[in-house]
Short mmCIF file of all heavy atoms in Angstrom, two decimals:
data_model
loop_
_atom_site.label_atom_id
_atom_site.label_comp_id
_atom_site.label_asym_id
_atom_site.label_seq_id
_atom_site.Cartn_x
_atom_site.Cartn_y
_atom_site.Cartn_z
N HIS B 517 26.33 -2.52 -13.74
CA HIS B 517 27.33 -1.75 -14.49
C HIS B 517 28.73 -1.96 -13.96
O HIS B 517 29.60 -1.11 -14.12
CB HIS B 517 26.93 -0.28 -14.54
CG HIS B 517 25.76 -0.06 -15.44
ND1 HIS B 517 25.86 0.41 -16.73
CD2 HIS B 517 24.44 -0.35 -15.27
CE1 HIS B 517 24.67 0.44 -17.30
NE2 HIS B 517 23.78 -0.01 -16.42
N GLY B 518 28.93 -3.09 -13.27
CA GLY B 518 30.29 -3.50 -12.98
C GLY B 518 30.79 -3.23 -11.58
O GLY B 518 31.90 -3.64 -11.24
N ASP B 519 30.00 -2.56 -10.75
CA ASP B 519 30.46 -2.36 -9.38
C ASP B 519 30.21 -3.65 -8.60
O ASP B 519 29.06 -4.05 -8.43
CB ASP B 519 29.68 -1.19 -8.77
CG ASP B 519 30.20 -0.81 -7.40
OD1 ASP B 519 30.89 -1.65 -6.79
OD2 ASP B 519 29.89 0.30 -6.95
N PRO B 520 31.29 -4.34 -8.16
CA PRO B 520 31.06 -5.63 -7.50
C PRO B 520 30.36 -5.50 -6.15
O PRO B 520 29.64 -6.41 -5.73
CB PRO B 520 32.47 -6.20 -7.33
CG PRO B 520 33.40 -5.04 -7.43
CD PRO B 520 32.72 -4.00 -8.25
N HIS B 521 30.54 -4.39 -5.46
CA HIS B 521 29.88 -4.19 -4.16
C HIS B 521 29.17 -2.86 -4.13
O HIS B 521 29.58 -1.94 -3.44
CB HIS B 521 30.89 -4.27 -3.01
CG HIS B 521 31.61 -5.57 -2.96
ND1 HIS B 521 30.98 -6.74 -2.61
CD2 HIS B 521 32.89 -5.89 -3.26
CE1 HIS B 521 31.86 -7.74 -2.68
NE2 HIS B 521 33.02 -7.25 -3.09
N PRO B 522 28.10 -2.76 -4.87
CA PRO B 522 27.44 -1.46 -4.93
C PRO B 522 26.91 -1.06 -3.56
O PRO B 522 26.39 -1.89 -2.83
CB PRO B 522 26.30 -1.69 -5.91
CG PRO B 522 26.08 -3.15 -5.95
CD PRO B 522 27.38 -3.79 -5.62
N ASP B 523 27.05 0.18 -3.27
CA ASP B 523 26.77 0.63 -1.92
C ASP B 523 26.35 2.08 -1.97
O ASP B 523 27.02 2.94 -1.41
CB ASP B 523 28.08 0.44 -1.13
CG ASP B 523 27.96 0.88 0.31
OD1 ASP B 523 26.84 0.89 0.84
OD2 ASP B 523 29.00 1.23 0.90
N PRO B 524 25.25 2.40 -2.65
CA PRO B 524 24.92 3.81 -2.78
C PRO B 524 24.73 4.45 -1.41
O PRO B 524 23.97 3.92 -0.59
CB PRO B 524 23.62 3.81 -3.59
CG PRO B 524 23.08 2.43 -3.53
CD PRO B 524 24.24 1.52 -3.26
N HIS B 525 25.44 5.51 -1.16
CA HIS B 525 25.32 6.26 0.10
C HIS B 525 25.50 5.37 1.33
O HIS B 525 24.86 5.59 2.35
CB HIS B 525 23.98 6.97 0.19
CG HIS B 525 23.53 7.56 -1.10
ND1 HIS B 525 24.10 8.69 -1.62
CD2 HIS B 525 22.58 7.16 -2.00
CE1 HIS B 525 23.51 8.98 -2.78
NE2 HIS B 525 22.61 8.06 -3.03
N GLY B 526 26.32 4.32 1.22
CA GLY B 526 26.56 3.47 2.38
C GLY B 526 25.36 2.63 2.79
O GLY B 526 25.30 2.11 3.89
N LEU B 527 24.38 2.48 1.88
CA LEU B 527 23.16 1.78 2.28
C LEU B 527 23.36 0.26 2.30
O LEU B 527 22.72 -0.44 3.06
CB LEU B 527 22.00 2.13 1.34
CG LEU B 527 21.56 3.58 1.39
CD1 LEU B 527 20.56 3.87 0.29
CD2 LEU B 527 20.94 3.93 2.74
N ASP B 528 24.22 -0.23 1.41
CA ASP B 528 24.67 -1.62 1.47
C ASP B 528 23.53 -2.65 1.44
O ASP B 528 23.25 -3.32 2.43
CB ASP B 528 25.50 -1.80 2.75
CG ASP B 528 26.16 -3.17 2.80
OD1 ASP B 528 26.39 -3.74 1.73
OD2 ASP B 528 26.42 -3.64 3.93
N TYR B 529 22.91 -2.77 0.30
CA TYR B 529 21.82 -3.75 0.17
C TYR B 529 22.34 -5.17 0.00
O TYR B 529 23.37 -5.38 -0.63
CB TYR B 529 20.96 -3.40 -1.05
CG TYR B 529 20.06 -2.23 -0.81
CD1 TYR B 529 20.49 -0.93 -1.06
CD2 TYR B 529 18.79 -2.41 -0.31
CE1 TYR B 529 19.67 0.16 -0.83
CE2 TYR B 529 17.95 -1.32 -0.08
CZ TYR B 529 18.40 -0.05 -0.34
OH TYR B 529 17.58 1.02 -0.11
N ALA B 530 21.58 -6.13 0.53
CA ALA B 530 21.91 -7.54 0.30
C ALA B 530 21.34 -7.93 -1.05
O ALA B 530 20.32 -8.61 -1.15
CB ALA B 530 21.31 -8.41 1.40
N ILE B 531 21.99 -7.46 -2.12
CA ILE B 531 21.32 -7.57 -3.42
C ILE B 531 21.33 -8.96 -4.02
O ILE B 531 20.62 -9.21 -4.99
CB ILE B 531 21.84 -6.55 -4.46
CG1 ILE B 531 23.34 -6.60 -4.54
CG2 ILE B 531 21.36 -5.17 -4.16
CD1 ILE B 531 23.87 -5.63 -5.55
N THR B 532 22.11 -9.88 -3.47
CA THR B 532 22.03 -11.23 -4.05
C THR B 532 20.91 -12.04 -3.40
O THR B 532 20.71 -13.20 -3.75
CB THR B 532 23.37 -11.98 -3.93
OG1 THR B 532 23.72 -12.07 -2.55
CG2 THR B 532 24.47 -11.26 -4.69
N GLY B 533 20.22 -11.43 -2.45
CA GLY B 533 19.01 -12.05 -1.90
C GLY B 533 19.31 -13.20 -0.95
O GLY B 533 20.46 -13.54 -0.70
#
Side-chain angles (χ1 to χ4, degrees):
H517 288 260
D519 186 341
H521 301 291
D523 179 25
H525 320 286
L527 295 172
D528 187 26
Y529 285 89
I531 51 180
T532 59

